[in-house]
Amino acid sequence: MSKQINVALIGNPNTGKTSVFNALTGLNQKVGNYPGITVDKKEGVCKLPRGVKAHILDLPGTYSLNASSLDENVVIELLLNKNDKDYPDVAVIVTDVEHLKRNLLLFTQIKDLKIPSILVINMADRMDRKGISLNIPLLEKQLHTKIALVSTRKNEGIQDIKDLIQDYKSLSTTPCLDPTTIEPDYFKRLDKAFPNQDVYKLWLVITQDVNFGKVSRQELDISAFKTKSASELKRLQQKETIKRYQFINNVLKESLTIDSSKAKDLRSKLDRILTHKVWGYVIFFFILLAIFQAIYDWATIPMDFIDATFASLADWTKNTLPKGAFTNLLAEGIIAGIGGVVIFIPQIAFLFLFISILEESGYMSRVVFLMDRIMRRFGLSGKSVVPLISGTACAIPAVMATRNIENWKERLITILVTPFTTCSARLPVYLIIIALVIPEGRFLGLSYQALTLMLLYILGFGMAVFSAYILDKVMKTKRKSFFVVEMPSYKIPLLKNVGITVFEKTKTFVLEAGKIILAISIVLWVLASYGPGEQFNNAESIVKTENPTLSDLELEDKIASHKLEHSYIGIVGKTIEPAIKPLGYDWKIGIGLVTSFAAREVFVGTLATIYSVGSANDNEDEDTIKSKMAAEVHSNGAKVFTLASGISLLLFYAFAMQCMSTLAIVKRETKSWKWPMIQLVGMSIIAYIAALIAFQFLK
Ligand code: GDP
Ligand code: MG
């Protein structure tokens, strides 16, 4: 006597159902359509020993029996309708060993319908590499089922499935969960009303709006049990899901172990080290250290070259073209201004070279993941790390990047603190001040100057995190969002992609920041070259009568600085001098501070303009910005740029909100002037206090 066994293959999408189906049926299969809908229906035949035939149905992938799509309805309708000609004698639930927990939810639901079930745990070939081990006999006992451990890829375990199907009559139909535990009142009432029906099946009929093949609807008057509101039913469904996961967790706690230290594939190995609780941070720290050291060592050569080139170009212009206002504008305003932009190209290019290599290689996602552990504690989202790291380029794209933080409070905090991170506009200021006041020695092979730069980056990041913490405490709302990050696989960075990023970022800097720097350089030159009243216009005769004994060269110097002091810009600088004196700055630095409220990077250009205007010294060595700043002295002969005033300036620039464009973008993103104003005032106060404390302590 030959009998046909109906087998349904059920499982979450991508667990390998179709692969199992192919392994069981080989070429004995056909693809049709479910009546009325365009969902593929795959059927096939599997020959078992003793002339038994199994009719195999490959059902569409489904996550649970709480249907939400057409595909899933197909599965539920079949399982709830005993009269369907395909109604399974045995359900084969296919799971992926790597996602067993999630996959078992559906298994427990089908089991509770009391359909004889076989559990196929597929992808067994991956267990070794992932360090997964399973106690199969224990798992079979806990789930009241029979298990086939299968790898369709290696064609292993297929015979086990066949044997289990053949013996389907010996399968237990003991359920996993007692449905009355979901909500005793409701389910006991249901049981009383329909004593001949299965409670869990009833529950599914009530909650699903699918067609159960007329029969059940006519047989049952379930309307009384649908009186509960839809949201109430949803709540019960959620309760059911939670109960099921509790059950699954308890089961897997005993029978499944994942020893990630045994995982053997390269990616898991790398992930384990790079996102390690301790080593992950240590490695990230050393990578940053290496990057900053490299920027220092490699960028100084082209930078010195550019610096010298523009200095001699300005010299040549002055000496070749006819003397006059235009030549001065060209040499002292325009060429100096362009030089002030071009000189930072090497540094910015190197920084973005490294950032884009980190991104392309897949390491950056690990950093985001790593930093999420810290960020959480400070009212920031893990996603805040992306804006904060992009902030090292420029606060403007960084503020825009906060858009993918769903939680408004976390997003606002991120926007408010992002300008603390060290953007590339601060880099020029940092570099020149560091070169001036930090000694050149090395510590363990690392230069003091590189270390200082790195400290400034850490300081900016630390301040951002610290103020986020304060803001989180000040702003009341409690809600936290969840953090999900896609971990791409590691790959060798594509040279082309890296190249494009470096080129684009550098171009943006030159065009966007460069525009402002150049424009302001020219405006500054004008403001510095003209002034109101006697003192400016008759500077020459005034200086000559006051200092009758000076040599020509010294006289020229004196006149130039006298003019600058009484130019328009000198007046502004002098006006604010009393306020900035306690920070260790004179009125010339004051001018730099004022102009850099437009954009920080203008500071260096400003000083370059001021000093090249202020010193008519023709000595070749004296012509670079750096040496001019180094030679700058107060009226009492003391150096202007000392360790104390230098650190004070560095701190001021680290904390102050000196960027009109960022304020504009914050206004746009928060839709009010309130937040950018809070940012401007708050950050300026912090900067002033930090600079004041630093100077008063160090002087
Ligand atoms: P379905 O969506 O459940 O029908 O799953 P498929 O049969 O289409 O398989 C999904 C993916 O898993 C495919 O890329 C298969 O190559 C892969 N796959 C299936 N079985 C195995 C297995 O035993 N081992 C491994 N490593 N991969 C498998
Ligand atoms: Mg499939």
Side-chain angles (χ1 to χ4, degrees), residues 62-73 76 208 210:
T62 179
Y63 289 104
S64 73
L65 293 184
N66 312 94
S68 58
S69 73
L70 267 182
D71 288 19
E72 292 181 324
N73 280 349
I76 295 158
Q208 307 304 317
V210 288

Side-chain angles (χ1 to χ4, degrees), residues 10-22 42 58-61 94 96 98 121-126 129 150-156:
I10 312 172
N12 289 18
N14 281 315
T15 49
K17 282 180 307 302
T18 303
S19 308
V20 170
F21 177 75
N22 291 340
K42 285 183 129 179
D58 181 16
L59 284 166
V94 182
D96 171 354
E98 275 191 72
I121 300 178
N122 191 27
M123 321 254 184
D125 51 296
R126 300 177 71 90
R129 281 196 287 160
V150 170
S151 166
T152 56
R153 181 147 300 176
K154 293 194 164 169
N155 206 23
E156 285 169 4

Side-chain angles (χ1 to χ4, degrees), residues 21 28-34 39-44 58:
F21 177 75
N28 302 314
Q29 48 173 275
K30 67 170 201 267
V31 181
N33 235 347
Y34 287 97
V39 175
D40 273 355
K41 180 178 185 181
K42 285 183 129 179
E43 306 170 86
D58 181 16

Side-chain angles (χ1 to χ4, degrees), residues 271-410:
D271 274 351
R272 210 160 56 238
I273 300 165
L274 295 180
T275 61
H276 188 270
K277 280 200 275 290
V278 178
W279 300 121
Y281 296 101
V282 172
I283 290 167
F284 183 46
F285 178 81
F286 278 103
I287 287 178
L288 280 185
L289 202 65
I291 288 175
F292 288 118
Q293 183 65 44
I295 289 176
Y296 247 96
D297 283 350
W298 299 347
T300 27
I301 301 158
M303 284 177 83
D304 286 346
F305 173 75
I306 292 168
D307 200 9
T309 309
F310 276 88
S312 53
L313 190 65
D315 251 5
W316 179 87
T317 312
K318 246 182 177 170
N319 297 335
T320 320
L321 295 182
K323 285 214 183 316
F326 178 73
T327 305
N328 285 345
L329 170 67
L330 202 60
E332 293 164 353
I334 296 175
I335 292 177
I338 293 176
V341 179
V342 174
I343 193 157
F344 299 110
I345 290 177
Q347 216 118 35
I348 285 162
F350 277 124
L351 183 67
F352 283 113
L353 173 73
F354 292 119
I355 286 182
S356 77
I357 288 176
L358 294 190
E359 252 165 16
E360 278 278 309
S361 64
Y363 178 64
M364 204 57 123
S365 314
R366 274 74 189 180
V367 171
V368 168
F369 172 79
L370 201 62
M371 293 318 236
D372 185 58
R373 292 178 190 153
I374 300 176
M375 305 269 79
R376 284 266 143 234
R377 297 178 200 157
F378 300 97
L380 293 166
S381 149
K383 287 183 182 161
S384 310
V385 175
V386 179
L388 288 180
I389 290 179
S390 332
T392 56
C394 177
I396 295 161
V399 167
M400 287 163 73
T402 60
R403 280 186 195 175
N404 58 16
I405 303 174
E406 298 84 4
N407 182 293
W408 168 245
K409 183 189 170 191
E410 288 169 355

Side-chain angles (χ1 to χ4, degrees), residues 380 388 413 417-421 459-469:
L380 293 166
L388 288 180
I413 293 180
V417 306
T418 291
F420 277 122
T421 52
L459 185 71
F461 196 74
M463 193 61 191
V465 168
F466 176 72
S467 32
Y469 180 74

Side-chain angles (χ1 to χ4, degrees), residues 577 581 584-586 632-641 645:
E577 193 169 28
K581 207 162 195 142
Y585 316 151
D586 64 359
E632 191 63 13
V633 288
H634 288 293
S635 46
N636 64 2
K639 271 196 184 307
V640 170
F641 293 98
S645 67

